[in-house]
Amino acid sequence: MPDTLPALNPALAALLSRASVPARSLTDPGPDDAAIGLAVAAALRAPDHGGLRPWRFLVVRGAARAALGAVLAASLARRVPQTPPDRLALEQAKPLRAPVVIVAGAAVRADHPIPAWEQEASAAAGVMNLMNALDAQGHGAIWLSSPALRDDAVKRALGFASGDALLGWIYAGTPAAERPRPPRPAPDGFWREWRGAEDMA
Ligand SMILES: Cc1cc2nc3c(=O)[nH]c(=O)nc-3n(C[C@H](O)[C@H](O)[C@H](O)COP(=O)(O)O)c2cc1C
């Protein structure tokens, strides 16, 4: 794949080379408002059944990361009361690993004929566009998750409704070193053609 990349248009080359950067390898500077704005604009290009615009992004940076850490630690202590203090301290420090944490959410309309899974899928597609746009602008990012995403108290603290879905913590910053972009498997094993009757069991 790499030797064919120069012949591709830049957008496709960017898609074919995106790679995550571990949170601890994300350093200052984080993406600024302009870079974040472009990334969110890319997220808003995700397909959107019913025009529901489910994409919601919350940018946490600077001192607010410590406040987010406190919310995460309180969530863990509430959900798992026997958690030892050193594990709680680890949870609290998590958002400090990168200069910017983007909380990715979906505003889900439970009463709408478009099923909730489609609304979440649209929001998740937006997250992928956001990550590709960060990568294309030279920023590193990684999509992380944790049980706190499903904690109503966490949603409330971050200004989400309990019916909203939190899809992930997107850590972003400048890659500390030239990021590895490990090869992916060849696409051939992941698609096939179905020709109708002759391929039916
Ligand atoms: C919804 C979602 C949640 C994820 N949560 C975690 C996580 O909590 N911890 C983790 O190490 N990787 C998690 N990953 C995987 C990383 O984002 C990343 O894809 C992985 O490190 C492989 O890197 P790559 O994207 O360059 O292949 C998650 C991915 C997705 C799509």
Side-chain angles (χ1 to χ4, degrees), residues 48-84:
D48 177 18
H49 195 179
L52 296 179
R53 302 181 175 173
W55 321 283
R56 297 290 185 275
F57 297 101
L58 191 71
V59 175
V60 183
R61 53 190 162 190
R65 294 171 306 153
L68 174 60
V71 169
L72 296 181
S75 167
L76 180 57
R78 211 172 29 247
R79 288 181 287 107
V80 190
Q82 67 276 24
T83 305

Short mmCIF file of all heavy atoms in Angstrom, two decimals, residues 48-84:
data_model
loop_
_atom_site.label_atom_id
_atom_site.label_comp_id
_atom_site.label_asym_id
_atom_site.label_seq_id
_atom_site.Cartn_x
_atom_site.Cartn_y
_atom_site.Cartn_z
N ASP A 48 -26.66 10.94 7.97
CA ASP A 48 -27.55 11.38 9.05
C ASP A 48 -29.00 11.05 8.68
O ASP A 48 -29.68 11.89 8.09
CB ASP A 48 -27.34 12.89 9.23
CG ASP A 48 -28.26 13.51 10.27
OD1 ASP A 48 -28.82 12.75 11.09
OD2 ASP A 48 -28.42 14.75 10.26
N HIS A 49 -29.44 9.84 9.00
CA HIS A 49 -30.81 9.43 8.64
C HIS A 49 -31.83 10.30 9.39
O HIS A 49 -31.83 10.36 10.61
CB HIS A 49 -31.01 7.95 8.99
CG HIS A 49 -32.23 7.36 8.36
ND1 HIS A 49 -32.57 6.03 8.54
CD2 HIS A 49 -33.18 7.89 7.55
CE1 HIS A 49 -33.68 5.78 7.86
NE2 HIS A 49 -34.06 6.90 7.25
N GLY A 50 -32.68 10.96 8.64
CA GLY A 50 -33.73 11.77 9.26
C GLY A 50 -33.27 13.18 9.60
O GLY A 50 -34.05 13.96 10.16
N GLY A 51 -32.03 13.52 9.28
CA GLY A 51 -31.55 14.88 9.58
C GLY A 51 -31.58 15.20 11.07
O GLY A 51 -31.87 16.32 11.46
N LEU A 52 -31.26 14.22 11.91
CA LEU A 52 -31.39 14.42 13.36
C LEU A 52 -30.18 15.09 13.99
O LEU A 52 -30.22 15.50 15.15
CB LEU A 52 -31.65 13.06 14.04
CG LEU A 52 -32.96 12.41 13.63
CD1 LEU A 52 -33.13 11.05 14.32
CD2 LEU A 52 -34.13 13.31 13.98
N ARG A 53 -29.09 15.16 13.24
CA ARG A 53 -27.87 15.83 13.73
C ARG A 53 -27.49 15.39 15.15
O ARG A 53 -27.46 16.20 16.09
CB ARG A 53 -28.05 17.35 13.69
CG ARG A 53 -28.35 17.81 12.28
CD ARG A 53 -28.52 19.29 12.15
NE ARG A 53 -28.70 19.64 10.73
CZ ARG A 53 -29.01 20.84 10.29
NH1 ARG A 53 -29.19 21.82 11.14
NH2 ARG A 53 -29.12 21.07 9.01
N PRO A 54 -27.20 14.10 15.32
CA PRO A 54 -26.97 13.59 16.67
C PRO A 54 -25.59 13.89 17.25
O PRO A 54 -25.36 13.64 18.43
CB PRO A 54 -27.11 12.06 16.48
CG PRO A 54 -26.67 11.82 15.07
CD PRO A 54 -27.11 13.05 14.30
N TRP A 55 -24.70 14.46 16.45
CA TRP A 55 -23.30 14.62 16.88
C TRP A 55 -23.17 15.64 18.00
O TRP A 55 -23.65 16.76 17.88
CB TRP A 55 -22.43 15.06 15.70
CG TRP A 55 -22.82 14.38 14.42
CD1 TRP A 55 -22.51 13.09 14.06
CD2 TRP A 55 -23.60 14.92 13.34
NE1 TRP A 55 -23.04 12.81 12.83
CE2 TRP A 55 -23.71 13.91 12.36
CE3 TRP A 55 -24.20 16.15 13.11
CZ2 TRP A 55 -24.41 14.10 11.17
CZ3 TRP A 55 -24.91 16.34 11.93
CH2 TRP A 55 -25.00 15.32 10.97
N ARG A 56 -22.47 15.24 19.06
CA ARG A 56 -22.20 16.17 20.17
C ARG A 56 -20.75 15.95 20.62
O ARG A 56 -20.35 14.83 20.91
CB ARG A 56 -23.12 15.90 21.37
CG ARG A 56 -24.60 16.11 21.09
CD ARG A 56 -24.95 17.60 20.90
NE ARG A 56 -26.39 17.78 20.75
CZ ARG A 56 -27.06 17.65 19.59
NH1 ARG A 56 -26.41 17.33 18.49
NH2 ARG A 56 -28.37 17.83 19.55
N PHE A 57 -19.99 17.03 20.68
CA PHE A 57 -18.60 16.93 21.12
C PHE A 57 -18.35 17.93 22.24
O PHE A 57 -18.76 19.09 22.15
CB PHE A 57 -17.65 17.20 19.94
CG PHE A 57 -17.78 16.19 18.84
CD1 PHE A 57 -18.50 16.50 17.68
CD2 PHE A 57 -17.24 14.92 18.97
CE1 PHE A 57 -18.65 15.56 16.66
CE2 PHE A 57 -17.38 13.98 17.95
CZ PHE A 57 -18.09 14.30 16.79
N LEU A 58 -17.68 17.46 23.26
CA LEU A 58 -17.35 18.31 24.41
C LEU A 58 -15.83 18.35 24.50
O LEU A 58 -15.19 17.29 24.62
CB LEU A 58 -17.94 17.64 25.65
CG LEU A 58 -17.98 18.41 26.94
CD1 LEU A 58 -19.02 19.52 26.83
CD2 LEU A 58 -18.35 17.47 28.08
N VAL A 59 -15.26 19.54 24.41
CA VAL A 59 -13.80 19.67 24.43
C VAL A 59 -13.34 19.98 25.86
O VAL A 59 -13.83 20.93 26.48
CB VAL A 59 -13.34 20.77 23.47
CG1 VAL A 59 -11.84 21.01 23.58
CG2 VAL A 59 -13.72 20.39 22.03
N VAL A 60 -12.43 19.17 26.36
CA VAL A 60 -11.93 19.34 27.73
C VAL A 60 -10.41 19.55 27.64
O VAL A 60 -9.71 18.69 27.09
CB VAL A 60 -12.25 18.10 28.59
CG1 VAL A 60 -11.77 18.32 30.02
CG2 VAL A 60 -13.75 17.79 28.56
N ARG A 61 -9.93 20.67 28.12
CA ARG A 61 -8.48 20.92 28.06
C ARG A 61 -8.06 21.75 29.26
O ARG A 61 -8.90 22.24 30.02
CB ARG A 61 -8.11 21.60 26.75
CG ARG A 61 -8.88 22.84 26.44
CD ARG A 61 -8.63 23.32 25.02
NE ARG A 61 -9.68 24.23 24.60
CZ ARG A 61 -9.86 24.67 23.37
NH1 ARG A 61 -9.06 24.29 22.40
NH2 ARG A 61 -10.84 25.50 23.09
N GLY A 62 -6.76 21.91 29.44
CA GLY A 62 -6.24 22.69 30.56
C GLY A 62 -6.68 22.10 31.88
O GLY A 62 -6.76 20.88 32.06
N ALA A 63 -7.03 23.00 32.82
CA ALA A 63 -7.39 22.57 34.17
C ALA A 63 -8.67 21.74 34.19
O ALA A 63 -8.88 20.94 35.11
CB ALA A 63 -7.55 23.79 35.07
N ALA A 64 -9.51 21.91 33.19
CA ALA A 64 -10.77 21.15 33.16
C ALA A 64 -10.50 19.64 33.07
O ALA A 64 -11.35 18.83 33.46
CB ALA A 64 -11.62 21.61 31.98
N ARG A 65 -9.31 19.25 32.56
CA ARG A 65 -8.99 17.82 32.49
C ARG A 65 -8.93 17.20 33.89
O ARG A 65 -9.34 16.07 34.10
CB ARG A 65 -7.67 17.59 31.76
CG ARG A 65 -7.71 17.98 30.28
CD ARG A 65 -6.32 17.93 29.69
NE ARG A 65 -5.43 18.76 30.48
CZ ARG A 65 -4.12 18.58 30.60
NH1 ARG A 65 -3.53 17.58 29.97
NH2 ARG A 65 -3.38 19.39 31.34
N ALA A 66 -8.40 17.98 34.86
CA ALA A 66 -8.35 17.46 36.23
C ALA A 66 -9.76 17.32 36.79
O ALA A 66 -10.07 16.37 37.51
CB ALA A 66 -7.51 18.39 37.10
N ALA A 67 -10.62 18.29 36.45
CA ALA A 67 -12.02 18.20 36.91
C ALA A 67 -12.69 16.98 36.30
O ALA A 67 -13.47 16.28 36.97
CB ALA A 67 -12.76 19.48 36.55
N LEU A 68 -12.40 16.71 35.01
CA LEU A 68 -12.95 15.49 34.39
C LEU A 68 -12.42 14.25 35.11
O LEU A 68 -13.17 13.30 35.38
CB LEU A 68 -12.58 15.44 32.90
CG LEU A 68 -12.96 14.16 32.16
CD1 LEU A 68 -14.47 13.91 32.19
CD2 LEU A 68 -12.46 14.21 30.70
N GLY A 69 -11.13 14.28 35.46
CA GLY A 69 -10.55 13.15 36.20
C GLY A 69 -11.27 12.91 37.51
O GLY A 69 -11.53 11.76 37.90
N ALA A 70 -11.62 14.00 38.21
CA ALA A 70 -12.34 13.86 39.48
C ALA A 70 -13.71 13.23 39.25
O ALA A 70 -14.18 12.39 40.03
CB ALA A 70 -12.47 15.22 40.15
N VAL A 71 -14.37 13.63 38.15
CA VAL A 71 -15.68 13.04 37.81
C VAL A 71 -15.52 11.53 37.54
O VAL A 71 -16.32 10.71 38.00
CB VAL A 71 -16.29 13.75 36.57
CG1 VAL A 71 -17.50 13.00 36.03
CG2 VAL A 71 -16.66 15.20 36.92
N LEU A 72 -14.46 11.17 36.82
CA LEU A 72 -14.24 9.75 36.50
C LEU A 72 -13.94 8.94 37.75
O LEU A 72 -14.44 7.82 37.92
CB LEU A 72 -13.07 9.61 35.50
CG LEU A 72 -13.28 10.23 34.12
CD1 LEU A 72 -12.05 10.00 33.24
CD2 LEU A 72 -14.53 9.66 33.45
N ALA A 73 -13.10 9.51 38.63
CA ALA A 73 -12.75 8.78 39.86
C ALA A 73 -13.98 8.63 40.75
O ALA A 73 -14.20 7.56 41.34
CB ALA A 73 -11.63 9.52 40.59
N ALA A 74 -14.80 9.68 40.85
CA ALA A 74 -16.01 9.60 41.67
C ALA A 74 -16.96 8.55 41.10
O ALA A 74 -17.61 7.79 41.84
CB ALA A 74 -16.69 10.96 41.72
N SER A 75 -17.01 8.46 39.77
CA SER A 75 -17.86 7.46 39.14
C SER A 75 -17.39 6.06 39.49
O SER A 75 -18.19 5.19 39.87
CB SER A 75 -17.84 7.66 37.61
OG SER A 75 -18.39 6.55 36.94
N LEU A 76 -16.09 5.84 39.38
CA LEU A 76 -15.55 4.51 39.69
C LEU A 76 -15.78 4.15 41.16
O LEU A 76 -16.19 3.02 41.48
CB LEU A 76 -14.04 4.49 39.36
CG LEU A 76 -13.32 3.17 39.61
CD1 LEU A 76 -13.97 2.01 38.86
CD2 LEU A 76 -11.84 3.30 39.21
N ALA A 77 -15.58 5.13 42.06
CA ALA A 77 -15.78 4.87 43.49
C ALA A 77 -17.23 4.52 43.78
O ALA A 77 -17.53 3.67 44.63
CB ALA A 77 -15.36 6.10 44.30
N ARG A 78 -18.14 5.15 43.06
CA ARG A 78 -19.57 4.89 43.27
C ARG A 78 -19.95 3.52 42.71
O ARG A 78 -20.68 2.76 43.32
CB ARG A 78 -20.37 5.99 42.58
CG ARG A 78 -21.67 6.34 43.22
CD ARG A 78 -22.32 7.56 42.62
NE ARG A 78 -21.98 7.77 41.22
CZ ARG A 78 -21.25 8.80 40.77
NH1 ARG A 78 -20.75 9.67 41.61
NH2 ARG A 78 -20.99 8.93 39.49
N ARG A 79 -19.43 3.22 41.53
CA ARG A 79 -19.81 1.95 40.88
C ARG A 79 -19.13 0.75 41.51
O ARG A 79 -19.68 -0.35 41.56
CB ARG A 79 -19.47 2.01 39.37
CG ARG A 79 -20.38 2.93 38.57
CD ARG A 79 -20.04 2.96 37.09
NE ARG A 79 -18.81 3.70 36.82
CZ ARG A 79 -17.65 3.17 36.47
NH1 ARG A 79 -17.56 1.85 36.32
NH2 ARG A 79 -16.58 3.91 36.26
N VAL A 80 -17.88 0.95 41.95
CA VAL A 80 -17.11 -0.16 42.54
C VAL A 80 -16.52 0.33 43.87
O VAL A 80 -15.35 0.73 43.94
CB VAL A 80 -15.97 -0.61 41.57
CG1 VAL A 80 -15.34 -1.91 42.06
CG2 VAL A 80 -16.49 -0.76 40.14
N PRO A 81 -17.35 0.32 44.93
CA PRO A 81 -16.95 0.97 46.19
C PRO A 81 -15.66 0.41 46.79
O PRO A 81 -14.98 1.10 47.54
CB PRO A 81 -18.14 0.70 47.12
CG PRO A 81 -19.29 0.42 46.21
CD PRO A 81 -18.71 -0.21 44.98
N GLN A 82 -15.32 -0.84 46.47
CA GLN A 82 -14.10 -1.41 47.06
C GLN A 82 -12.83 -1.07 46.28
O GLN A 82 -11.75 -1.58 46.58
CB GLN A 82 -14.25 -2.94 47.21
CG GLN A 82 -14.32 -3.72 45.89
CD GLN A 82 -15.73 -3.77 45.29
OE1 GLN A 82 -16.57 -2.91 45.56
NE2 GLN A 82 -15.99 -4.76 44.45
N THR A 83 -12.94 -0.17 45.30
CA THR A 83 -11.75 0.19 44.50
C THR A 83 -10.66 0.79 45.39
O THR A 83 -10.92 1.75 46.14
CB THR A 83 -12.13 1.23 43.42
OG1 THR A 83 -13.20 0.71 42.64
CG2 THR A 83 -10.94 1.52 42.50
N PRO A 84 -9.44 0.26 45.31
CA PRO A 84 -8.36 0.80 46.17
C PRO A 84 -7.97 2.23 45.73
O PRO A 84 -8.11 2.60 44.56
CB PRO A 84 -7.19 -0.16 45.94
CG PRO A 84 -7.56 -1.02 44.78
CD PRO A 84 -9.03 -0.91 44.54
#
